[in-house]
Amino acid sequence: MTEDGVDKETPTDSAAAATGVSSRDVSFREAVWVWVQVAAYSFGGPAGQIAVMHKLLVSRKRWISERRFLHAMNYTMLLPGPEAQQLATYVGWLLHRTKGGLVAGTLFILPGFVSILLLSVLYAEFGELTAVEAIFFGLQAAVLAIVVEAVIRIGERALENAFMVAIAVGAFVGIFVFDVLFPFIVLAAAIVGVLGYRAFPDAFTVTTGHDADDESGAVIDAAVEAAPARPSTGRAIRVAAIWLTLWFAPLSAMYVALGSDHIFVREGIFFSQVAVVVFGGAYAVLAYIAQEAVVTYGWLEPGEMIDGLGMAETTPGPLIQVVQFVGFMGAYRNPGGLDPLVAGVLGSVVVTWVTFVPCFLFIFLGAPYIEYLRGRESLSAALSAITAAVVGVILNLALWFALHVLFGELRTYDEYGMSLLVPVLETIDLAAVLIAVGSFVLVFLFDQGMFRTLAAAMAAGVAYHFVVLPVA
């Protein structure tokens, strides 16, 4: 038995001899070093992070096959939370079970947590300085190019035929024009995938469960196929009990000790809700969190969410780490009897905890079942359709960003069941437009990386504030 309650899954000697590889070929130390590399290179949002993992784990190390990697990716996109971090946790679990998943998932988070915390302190203490405002002015415009690139890169992987494109378009129209909640979009996409598979099986199995030629020689595939995961009710109960306790025990203790109106309790409850009801990763969750944090709770000023996303874009780790910035600013501005910086740091910890503990719960609880069902093509069809829908949701965010960054004023068109954001054209910010266009040129025409693009945009923002505005 392993530490997560399932039978030990080391392949037999005969299986290892037949494939030439085994899970014993990947030592825990070697895996830890690779997860350190993944964490260090995890810039650029889920598209870039998934690309890094694909290069290291599929192409270079041959630890996991293309088909199993895409199968795992589709499952994590179905879950609420950061798909790239959950994908790393999933692969870590496949390699070394619970300890592997914990190390992979935690290392993925840690660099971003430290970076966002430091940037949040600087932002809170010096955010009104002209230099800081100038840097984030350029950063916001450059983020547009990064988000659009994410749409394209994920779309290239997921939209392989006209059916998948149609699902993506439908998801975009549903969420941007008619304000349909993302869980309903996910459910509709899954239903379309299952029904579409019955009529056009080849078109709706973009990522099938098995491919013998592709999987031969991959370490994880050899090990798992020799001794596959056997999900059980007893194991599921144990995993759920452990991780639900880790999730809610600190929150319950704060509730009893501090009361329901304390900022830490309010943030903990809100982001616990976000962890389970909002799907599609940071791109899909941003608009919802911005609305609640600014309008309902007053934790942020308008526009600060985009500054937070700019921080997340320029630091390693999942983009959902932007919630840490929200938690910091909310506690910093409502410190109670604490020093504002101390309150901000504690708010960061609370929000990060309730955001990521559920991610480990979802992977450790669901991964054995997903592995067990991996050969079911109807499941692959549903997951493929959901992945296509996520592309439409990310496109929605790209347009949402463009409107908020490039225009000073927006209005909502509420007619015929629509809830459509419309820019007031007279409020266009030409400087932001120029920086955004320059960022697009660097990314798409000159194939510049994220660091150079964001650095150039920040330099342009500084030049605009210190050179152009004083002259004007």
Side-chain angles (χ1 to χ4, degrees):
M1 299 286 287
T2 60
E3 67 269 30
D4 56 359
V6 297
D7 292 335
K8 193 172 183 179
E9 297 173 18
T10 301
T12 62
D13 293 337
S14 60
T19 60
V21 292
S22 79
S23 61
R24 289 186 295 247
D25 292 333
V26 181
S27 69
F28 186 66
R29 176 179 295 183
E30 181 184 3
V32 169
W33 173 240
V34 170
W35 294 123
V36 169
Q37 295 178 66
V38 169
Y41 300 148
S42 60
F43 293 87
Q49 293 157 358
I50 290 171
V52 167
M53 281 189 280
H54 183 275
K55 181 177 181 179
L56 287 174
L57 303 173
V58 179
S59 302
R60 183 178 301 174
K61 295 291 185 178
R62 288 290 296 163
W63 285 356
I64 183 171
S65 69
E66 178 78 28
R67 292 297 182 184
R68 190 182 293 272
F69 183 86
L70 292 179
H71 181 78
M73 187 186 75
N74 282 340
Y75 170 59
T76 58
M77 284 192 171
L78 173 63
L79 299 173
E83 58 267 31
Q85 186 266 349
Q86 290 169 323
L87 179 59
T89 305
Y90 194 123
V91 178
W93 176 83
L94 284 172
L95 278 170
H96 296 106
R97 291 298 178 256
T98 299
K99 68 177 181 180
L102 283 172
V103 168
T106 302
L107 284 177
F108 199 93
I109 300 165
L110 190 59
F113 173 80
V114 174
S115 301
I116 294 292
L117 183 58
L118 293 175
L119 289 173
S120 297
V121 170
L122 293 175
Y123 187 91
E125 292 290 297
F126 307 107
E128 294 183 359
L129 295 179
T130 303
V132 176
E133 292 179 352
I135 289 173
F136 278 96
F137 176 80
L139 198 60
Q140 289 180 12
V143 166
L144 286 176
I146 304 298
V147 174
V148 171
E149 186 185 26
V151 175
I152 294 173
R153 294 178 67 175
I154 295 177
E156 288 176 346
R157 184 184 298 272
L159 308 182
E160 294 190 1
N161 55 59
F163 292 101
M164 297 297 112
V165 172
I167 292 172
V169 171
F172 169 76
V173 172
I175 196 169
F176 185 78
V177 178
F178 296 101
D179 202 22
V180 179
L181 296 177
F182 188 78
F184 293 114
I185 291 177
V186 168
L187 179 61
I191 294 172
V192 169
V194 172
L195 296 179
Y197 169 74
R198 296 179 179 179
F200 306 98
D202 292 337
F204 280 84
T205 50
V206 175
T207 57
T208 56
H210 294 281
D211 188 319
D213 293 335
D214 174 65
E215 294 187 356
S216 60
V219 173
I220 290 176
D221 299 274
V224 175
E225 294 303 323
R230 301 296 184 189
S232 68
T233 302
R235 177 195 177 277
I237 292 174
R238 288 193 295 273
V239 169
I242 291 171
W243 287 97
L244 287 173
T245 300
L246 289 172
W247 184 359
F248 289 110
L251 190 57
S252 300
M254 288 191 299
Y255 185 91
V256 172
L258 303 175
S260 60
D261 291 331
H262 196 278
I263 184 64
F264 298 153
V265 176
R266 297 181 73 188
E267 288 183 340
I269 292 174
F270 172 68
F271 284 102
S272 290
Q273 294 171 344
V274 168
V276 297
V277 303
V278 181
F279 294 77
Y283 289 127
V285 75
L286 181 65
Y288 171 71
I289 294 179
Q291 173 73 18
E292 294 298 307
V294 173
V295 178
T296 304
Y297 294 102
W299 294 335
L300 296 178
E301 300 294 332
E304 287 184 338
M305 177 61 77
I306 299 179
D307 293 339
L309 187 69
M311 294 181 189
E313 287 280 9
T314 56
T315 55
L319 289 183
I320 198 69
Q321 198 72 48
V322 67
V323 301
Q324 178 189 348
F325 172 73
V326 179
F328 180 95
M329 295 303 297
Y332 181 87
R333 288 171 173 155
N334 302 274
L338 296 174
D339 177 84
L341 281 179
V342 173
V345 171
L346 293 176
S348 290
V349 173
V350 169
V351 169
T352 301
W353 184 264
V354 300
T355 297
F356 287 102
V357 167
C359 297
F360 290 103
L361 167 64
F362 300 147
I363 294 301
F364 293 148
L365 186 62
Y369 294 95
I370 296 301
E371 285 297 304
Y372 182 73
L373 297 172
R374 198 172 68 90
R376 278 64 171 180
E377 290 194 341
S378 59
L379 174 64
S380 295
L383 293 177
S384 296
I386 289 169
T387 304
V390 169
V391 176
V393 174
I394 298 174
L395 179 61
N396 158 72
L397 180 69
L399 189 52
W400 185 89
F401 268 146
L403 293 174
H404 283 80
V405 171
L406 303 181
F407 295 90
E409 185 179 343
L410 303 173
R411 62 184 180 86
T412 304
Y413 178 79
D414 292 311
E415 295 289 344
Y416 308 106
M418 295 187 292
S419 180
L420 186 64
L421 281 177
V422 179
V424 178
L425 297 180
E426 294 80 7
T427 64
I428 190 170
D429 189 331
L430 294 179
V433 171
L434 289 175
I435 295 175
V437 170
S439 300
F440 276 92
V441 169
L442 288 176
V443 170
F444 293 103
L445 293 184
F446 294 99
D447 197 25
Q448 294 300 301
M450 184 180 56
F451 287 119
R452 291 183 179 180
T453 301
L454 294 178
M458 288 186 287
V462 170
Y464 174 70
H465 276 76
F466 286 98
V467 178
V468 178
L469 283 182
V471 174

